[in-house]
Amino acid sequence: MASSVSVLLLLCMAAAVASAQLSPTFYDTSCPNALSTIKSAVTAAVNKENRMGASLLRLHFHDCFVQGCDASVLLDSGGEQGALPNAGSLRGFDVIANIKAQVEADCKQTVSCADILAVAARDSVVALGGPSWTVPLGRRDSTTGSASLANSDLPPPFFNLSDLIGAFSNKGFSATEMVALSGAHTIGQAQCKNFRDHIYNDTNINSGFASSLKANCPQPTGSGDGNLAPLDTTTPYVFDNAYYSNLLNQKGLLHSDQELFNGGSTDNTVRNFASNSAAFSSAFAAAMVKMGNLSPLTGSQGQIRLTCSKAN
């Protein structure tokens, strides 16, 4: 009995150590101006171009879903930028590089690129009117990336509901958390090639909405592939819960968006988030903290890159 109790205590202590690896106060002494520097730069970038907020949020998501939140997506030679879900669509590298340069000038080789991505994602959401959350810090940067994991782990726009639930479940998220994180599509834009099949071939789409998109997204593959449309046509540059109201009206831009409200198990979650903005904000913030904790490198693992685009 005594030995089993001591084993239990050891397990509890190990869990406490694991969860304590990241801390919101990580840079309070080593680089006290880090967070304010990041926030100022992100706010300026979003004020200059509204779309940048969505781009920075997406960078963090595409980083964390591929071998954890380790800034591998920023590596020029890591292979992830050329992977199918990323090629020609990832943006914001110059903003992150600018932030990194400012932070390096203040605190040499102290703040990781992975932490900058995590904080910039939060500050982007706040800059566009969305909720804030406390970002645990102390991630370190990887020295390699993985194109193959980017191709396999990032959910594509043609996924159906069970595919989406599976992809997020593989990362430890519930179906409700998946729906909450999908609410990031209340900002940002998508390329014609990613919604063409939905507007021409799916039946679970508002006919007027589909028609309005066809002018800028011709049916032949290769014609207008890169033309953009807002993921949320109602308030494209405001972080709110309109994304879910759009789904109720069959105005999801991507096939994978509308799958969240299509007679399946997540319909009630979409209804709840559409009618209760506070519930969405709370769920989104909590899910973002959880996503930021996906397999971070800590302690002596990885490195603090001097330049985010290449290993030291």
Side-chain angles (χ1 to χ4, degrees):
M1 178 70 178
S3 63
S4 64
V5 170
S6 61
V7 167
L8 188 61
L9 281 170
L10 283 170
L11 287 172
C12 289
M13 286 167 65
V17 169
S19 63
Q21 285 179 330
L22 299 183
S23 163
T25 60
F26 190 82
Y27 297 114
D28 280 10
T29 302
S30 61
C31 195
N33 296 324
L35 296 188
S36 59
T37 300
I38 296 169
K39 185 178 182 65
S40 295
V42 168
T43 303
V46 174
N47 286 342
K48 183 179 177 182
E49 184 200 3
N50 288 336
R51 185 185 170 205
M52 188 52 68
S55 298
L56 294 175
L57 177 59
R58 187 168 181 255
L59 270 182
H60 179 48
F61 170 65
H62 281 228
D63 178 37
C64 291
F65 257 57
V66 182
Q67 69 183 29
C69 306
D70 60 359
S72 57
V73 73
L74 300 177
L75 289 168
D76 286 342
S77 60
E80 291 180 28
Q81 293 177 23
L84 199 60
N86 295 331
S89 65
L90 283 183
R91 308 170 71 248
F93 298 111
D94 52 338
V95 175
I96 297 298
N98 173 49
I99 294 171
K100 177 64 170 172
Q102 290 185 46
V103 174
E104 281 294 316
D106 190 34
C107 315
K108 186 75 170 174
Q109 207 168 358
T110 303
V111 180
S112 68
C113 300
D115 276 346
I116 289 173
L117 280 179
V119 176
R122 187 268 313 273
D123 292 345
S124 292
V125 170
V126 171
L128 292 173
S132 185
W133 58 92
T134 300
V135 180
L137 301 163
R139 299 166 191 80
R140 288 168 66 84
D141 301 323
S142 63
T143 56
T144 57
S146 174
S148 60
L149 284 179
N151 281 320
S152 64
D153 290 9
L154 289 165
F158 55 78
F159 261 14
N160 62 30
L161 182 59
S162 62
D163 294 329
L164 291 167
I165 290 173
F168 279 79
S169 175
N170 287 341
K171 302 295 180 183
F173 293 103
S174 68
T176 298
E177 289 169 330
M178 180 273 289
V179 175
L181 287 172
S182 297
H185 284 182
T186 187
I187 53 175
Q189 302 181 43
Q191 296 178 339
C192 163
K193 65 181 180 181
N194 290 322
F195 60 83
R196 176 184 284 123
D197 195 53
H198 181 51
I199 66 174
Y200 284 101
N201 298 322
D202 286 349
T203 55
N204 61 338
I205 184 170
N206 178 286
S207 59
F209 177 63
S211 296
S212 71
L213 291 161
K214 289 175 181 177
N216 196 40
C217 185
Q219 190 162 15
T221 300
S223 177
D225 280 5
N227 292 351
L228 298 169
L231 287 155
D232 167 12
T233 56
T234 312
T235 51
Y237 297 116
V238 179
F239 196 99
D240 56 17
N241 64 335
Y243 167 79
Y244 301 102
S245 301
N246 294 337
L247 298 184
L248 298 184
N249 295 313
Q250 292 193 312
K251 292 183 178 181
L253 182 64
L254 305 177
H255 174 85
S256 55
D257 288 325
Q258 197 57 56
E259 278 289 297
L260 303 183
F261 189 78
N262 193 36
S265 59
T266 54
D267 279 14
N268 283 337
T269 304
V270 171
R271 288 192 188 97
N272 179 38
F273 289 160
S275 64
N276 190 335
S277 61
F280 163 56
S281 291
S282 176
F284 181 81
M288 285 298 293
V289 172
K290 185 172 178 177
M291 187 177 77
N293 205 36
L294 285 176
S295 306
L297 300 174
T298 57
S300 60
Q301 299 171 311
Q303 61 182 212
I304 305 297
R305 284 188 225 140
L306 289 164
T307 305
C308 288
S309 58
K310 62 177 191 277
N312 296 342

